[in-house]
């Protein structure tokens, strides 16, 4: 969802784009400041705040608690996903994981990929959130909050209550609290689009009970006078909507990074064919054993990326090639100076669904109806959902509840 107006947008050094106001309905958009070639990196951005998903630890996904960099080697990653401890990967030198640099919080044993990440977390939010000896105490307010979230929000996760917790902790620790409050105010946090009367599906009447439970636990764990509005029923709804509509998914994988490094190795033809065949078979075997849940995942708030509006035919995409939370925006086609840069809020499969299905997802999750060229060209199509959605229409209310709690 395009971010609200504010002077923090466009603050990424060296970016080939800038945020500009479009209209009161669309807010801001991101526009190229020069001609950009297909495949060119438009910018690289660090999140204002980010967090791993809570289910990562339960599935033994080990990652830096600050930047989400994978902590296991590519070989360990493959062994775990395959359930085969004897697996040996060729070209181990292509794995960039440096275990000698890993550090942990001496009080709560949370792991970091480096001293720099440990210090950055400590300075921004970890002093407030460190559980110390209470890490395994189920009665601690933060543990109660996390357990309640896990019981409401099952994998595949798309948001985290801990992203909101880190926002609060950041303000509580900050010397200049107003600067951080202003930083977070850059993100759109409407719970409904007044013009189209679209209510965020997680904030409808049937979720009031769960949201109120989360709010009470959130207040018990983190209340701060400077942020008292965030803890009111309406303020909490707005904070929830901010994370739900602006949170950018993050995925990191030491195995994936090893594969990319192997792809550019200069090898004799026979060795190249053998390596490619090994990797192809490895992924097939992993899919049988672990499905598609391959990455360490989380979400973050990115000021400039959040200014990107949606298109069902995007001209740019986000990725995380550095195996951490640094977001790369890359052009999918040539973009001229002054042209708007759009990403897709839908995945590849969702973009292939009918116009009605696509807009149903966008209305419920991002509070708008798409008017991109593809949607306009299909405006006269019948308002019917795609086949894959029709197959699920007979689910019970409980099943729908679970699905919708998952699709923040």
């Amino acid at each position: 969802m395009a971010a609200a107006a504010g002077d923090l947008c466009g603050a990424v050094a060296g970016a080939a784009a800038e945020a500009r106001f479009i209209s009161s309905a669309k807010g801001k958009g991101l526009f190229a400041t020069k001609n950009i070639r297909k495949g060119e990196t438009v910018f690289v951005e660090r999140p204002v705040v980010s967090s791993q998903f809570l289910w990562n630890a339960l599935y033994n996904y080990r990652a830096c608690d600050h930047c989400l960099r994978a902590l296991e080697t590519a070989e360990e990653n493959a062994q775990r996903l395959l359930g085969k401890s004897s697996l040996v990967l060729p070209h181990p030198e292509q794995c960039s994981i440096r275990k000698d640099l890993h550090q942990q919080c001496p009080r709560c044993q949370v792991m970091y990929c480096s001293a720099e990440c440990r210090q950055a977390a400590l300075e921004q939010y970890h002093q407030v959130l460190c559980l110390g000896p209470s890490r395994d105490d189920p009665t601690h307010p933060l543990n109660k909050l996390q357990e309640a979230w896990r019981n409401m929000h099952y994998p595949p996760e798309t948001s985290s209550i801990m992203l909101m917790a880190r926002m609060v902790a950041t303000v509580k620790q900050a010397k200049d609290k107003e600067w951080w409050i202003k930083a977070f105010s850059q993100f759109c946090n409407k719970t409904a689009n007044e013009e189209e009367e679209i209510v965020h599906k997680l904030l409808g009447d049937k979720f009031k009970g769960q949201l109120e439970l989360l709010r009470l636990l959130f207040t018990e764990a983190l209340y701060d006078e400077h942020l008292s509005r965030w803890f009111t029923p309406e303020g909490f709804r707005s904070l929830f909507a901010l994370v739900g509509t602006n949170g950018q998914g993050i995925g990191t994988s030491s195995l994936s990074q090893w594969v990319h490094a192997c792809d550019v190795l200069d090898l004799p033809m026979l060795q190249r064919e053998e390596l490619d065949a090994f990797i192809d078979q490895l992924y097939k075997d992993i899919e049988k054993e672990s499905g598609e849940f391959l990455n360490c995942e989380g979400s973050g708030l990115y000021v400039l990326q959040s200014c990107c509006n949606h298109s069902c035919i995007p001209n740019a995409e986000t990725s995380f090639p550095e195996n951490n939370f640094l977001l790369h925006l890359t052009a999918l086609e040539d973009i001229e100076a002054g042209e708007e840069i759009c990403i897709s809020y839908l995945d590849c499969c969702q973009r292939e669904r009918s116009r009605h299905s696509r807009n149903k997802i966008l209305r419920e999750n991002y509070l708008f109806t798409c008017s991109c060229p593809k949607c306009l060209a299909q405006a006269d199509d019948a308002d019917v959902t795609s086949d894959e959605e029709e197959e699920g229409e007979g689910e019970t209310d409980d099943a729908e509840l679970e699905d919708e709690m998952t699709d923040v």
Side-chain angles (χ1 to χ4, degrees), residues 258-274:
W258 171 83
V259 169
H260 288 308
C262 286
D263 284 343
V264 297
L265 286 175
D266 185 13
L267 299 173
M269 183 177 295
L270 182 58
Q271 290 184 34
R272 166 54 59 192
E273 290 175 352
E274 290 176 346

Side-chain angles (χ1 to χ4, degrees), residues 86 97 113 116 138 147 214 253 263 297 300 338 372 399:
S86 61
I97 300 302
C113 69
E116 290 77 12
E147 182 63 18
L214 284 174
S253 166
D263 284 343
E297 297 183 343
C372 73

